C-alpha cells in the first residue's frame, strides 16, 4: 500500500539522463533548447516521495523550461566530475545549485562512487596513516565512516574535515565556473548556515558546510537564497507524499510536500526577475 494514494504503487520519478551522462536524475526529461534553467541538487531537490517537487512547481506556473538534474544523496562530485552535466550548466540561462554536504565527495582521504556519492569506495594512504587501527573494509557509506572516525578520535578527525572542506570548495568552484555568474545557491535546511560545521552529529546537514563557505561561494555565484521550512510546513508531516509502508520511516525524515511549496514560493520571484533581466 502507498500512503496518500491507497492501493497505489510507489511514485514514478520518470528517471532520465542528459547527454552522455550516466547519472540517473529526476524526470520528466526536458529538451535543453535555450533558454532553459537547470537545477542541480540532492535528495531535497529530487523531491523523494513528492509528485511535484519545487522545480516542477515553478515550471508549472511560469514559462521557464526547467531541467531537474538531481539525484538522491548526491554530492558535488556527481555534477562537477561529469562533462555532460557541466556542458548543461554552461548552456543554461540560470543554474540553481542546492548547497550539498561536503562529505559525499572524493578527497585526499577517501574516494566515493562517481554517481552514488554516499557510497564509500576506498581509503587512501593518508587515511590509513591517520587511522592505522581502523579496518576500512567494514564501511559502505560515507556517513557511517565519518561518524565512526569522529567517535574514535575527534582530534584526528579535525584534520580530515579540513581537507574535505577544501575539496568541497574546489569542486563548487569548478561547477560554478561553468555558469557564467548565472547561478543561485540554494540552502535548504532546518536552520541557517552555522558559524562552524565540524561534526557528524545528526541535524548538522548539509554536513561540514558553514556560513563562511556559503558566503564565499555565494560571492562567486549570482547570490544565495536560504529557505528554512516553517513550523507550519513541517507540521504537515507526510501529507501529500507517496510512499509504501516500507518507506514510511524514510519519508518522515524527508523534505515534505508543504516545504517544497515554500521553497518554490521563495525561488519563484528570484527566477522571474532573472528571466525579465535576460
Amino acid at each position: 500500500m502507498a500512503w496518500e494514494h491507497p492501493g497505489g504503487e510507489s511514485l514514478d520519478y520518470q528517471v532520465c539522463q542528459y547527454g552522455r551522462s550516466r547519472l540517473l536524475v529526476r524526470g520528466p526529461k526536458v529538451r535543453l533548447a535555450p533558454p532553459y534553467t537547470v537545477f542541480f541538487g540532492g535528495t531535497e531537490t529530487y523531491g523523494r516521495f513528492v509528485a511535484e517537487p519545487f522545480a516542477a512547481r515553478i515550471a508549472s506556473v511560469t514559462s521557464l523550461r526547467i531541467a531537474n538534474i538531481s539525484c538522491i544523496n548526491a554530492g558535488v562530485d556527481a555534477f562537477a566530475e561529469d562533462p555532460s552535466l557541466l556542458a548543461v550548466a554552461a548552456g543554461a540561462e540560470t543554474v540553481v545549485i542546492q548547497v550539498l554536504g561536503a562529505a559525499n565527495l572524493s578527497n585526499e582521504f577517501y574516494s566515493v562512487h562517481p554517481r552514488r556519492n554516499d557510497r564509500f569506495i576506498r581509503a587512501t594512504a593518508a587515511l590509513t596513516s591517520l587511522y592505522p587501527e581502523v579496518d576500512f573494509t567494514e564501511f559502505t557509506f560515507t556517513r557511517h565512516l565519518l561518524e565512526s572516525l569522529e567517535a574514535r578520535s575527534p582530534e584526528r578527525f579535525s584534520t580530515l574535515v579540513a581537507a574535505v572542506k577544501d575539496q568541497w570548495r574546489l569542486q563548487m568552484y569548478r561547477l560554478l565556473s561553468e555558469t557564467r555568474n548565472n547561478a543561485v545557491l540554494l540552502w535548504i535546511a532546518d536552520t541557517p548556515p552555522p558559524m562552524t560545521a565540524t561534526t557528524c552529529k545528526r541535524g548538522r546537514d548539509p554536513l561540514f558546510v558553514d556560513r563562511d563557505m556559503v558566503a564565499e561561494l555565494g560571492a562567486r555565484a549570482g547570490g544565495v537564497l536560504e529557505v528554512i521550512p516553517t513550523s507550519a510546513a513541517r507540521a504537515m508531516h507526510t501529507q501529500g507524499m507517496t510512499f509504501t509502508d516500507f518507506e514510511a520511516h524514510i519519508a518522515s525524515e524527508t523534505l515534505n510536500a508543504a516545504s517544497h511549496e515554500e521553497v518554490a514560493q521563495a525561488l519563484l520571484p528570484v527566477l522571474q526577475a532573472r528571466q525579465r533581466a535576460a
Side-chain angles (χ1 to χ4, degrees):
M1 177 179 84
W3 295 91
E4 303 302 326
H5 297 283
E9 301 295 330
S10 295
L11 197 61
D12 179 7
Y13 297 104
Q14 302 180 64
V15 294
C16 59
Q17 295 166 292
Y18 286 91
R20 295 185 177 181
S21 174
R22 296 177 61 190
L23 187 69
L24 294 172
V25 301
R26 178 79 191 241
K29 189 171 185 177
V30 173
R31 185 172 67 90
L32 298 181
Y36 64 86
T37 298
V38 61
F39 284 56
F40 288 123
T43 304
E44 293 76 18
T45 304
Y46 190 91
R48 193 173 187 185
F49 309 120
V50 177
E52 191 178 49
F54 55 81
R57 294 176 189 224
I58 294 171
S60 70
V61 297
T62 67
S63 60
L64 293 171
R65 182 184 293 112
I66 296 177
N68 186 353
I69 300 182
S70 57
C71 183
I72 294 172
N73 295 325
V76 185
D77 278 6
F79 314 112
E81 292 292 331
D82 191 317
S84 288
L85 300 185
L86 290 177
V88 169
E93 181 177 61
T94 301
V95 182
V96 177
I97 304 174
Q98 180 189 349
V99 177
L100 302 172
N104 293 347
L105 49 72
S106 294
N107 55 76
E108 69 176 273
F109 286 105
Y110 60 86
S111 59
V112 302
H113 190 280
R115 292 175 299 282
R116 303 183 68 177
N117 296 161
D118 61 327
R119 297 298 181 97
F120 168 72
I121 299 299
R122 66 181 62 87
T124 67
L127 187 56
T128 57
S129 176
L130 187 63
Y131 285 90
E133 75 278 20
V134 175
D135 179 4
F136 293 101
T137 63
E138 298 178 355
F139 300 102
T140 301
F141 295 97
T142 57
R143 189 88 187 213
H144 181 206
L145 167 73
L146 295 168
E147 288 175 347
S148 298
L149 296 181
E150 181 177 19
R152 184 175 293 272
S153 173
E155 294 77 20
R156 285 180 283 171
F157 188 70
S158 64
T159 299
L160 185 155
V161 171
V164 169
K165 285 172 171 276
D166 286 344
Q167 184 63 22
W168 182 88
R169 290 185 181 92
L170 288 174
Q171 291 295 72
M172 284 294 293
Y173 273 116
R174 182 177 184 183
L175 181 56
L176 286 170
S177 69
E178 300 294 335
T179 67
R180 297 172 287 111
N181 296 322
N182 291 332
V184 176
L185 294 186
L186 175 62
W187 173 274
I188 308 172
D190 292 337
T191 61
M195 294 302 296
T196 60
T198 58
T199 180
C200 285
K201 293 178 181 178
R202 297 295 179 184
R204 297 291 184 176
D205 292 321
L207 206 59
F208 304 146
V209 179
D210 59 42
R211 178 163 294 278
D212 285 345
M213 293 164 69
V214 174
E216 175 187 338
L217 273 297
R220 177 64 178 267
V224 180
L225 177 65
E226 296 180 16
V227 183
I228 314 301
T230 65
S231 56
R234 294 195 297 269
M236 297 297 286
H237 301 297
T238 58
Q239 293 184 45
M241 301 171 74
T242 303
F243 50 90
T244 64
D245 290 333
F246 179 76
E247 298 167 325
H249 177 68
I250 303 172
S252 70
E253 298 181 345
T254 304
L255 191 73
N256 67 4
S259 297
H260 272 269
E261 180 61 29
E262 290 189 342
V263 176
Q265 291 300 322
L267 262 174
L268 184 60
V270 174
L271 297 182
Q272 287 178 324
R274 285 170 170 265
Q275 186 183 32
R276 289 192 295 269

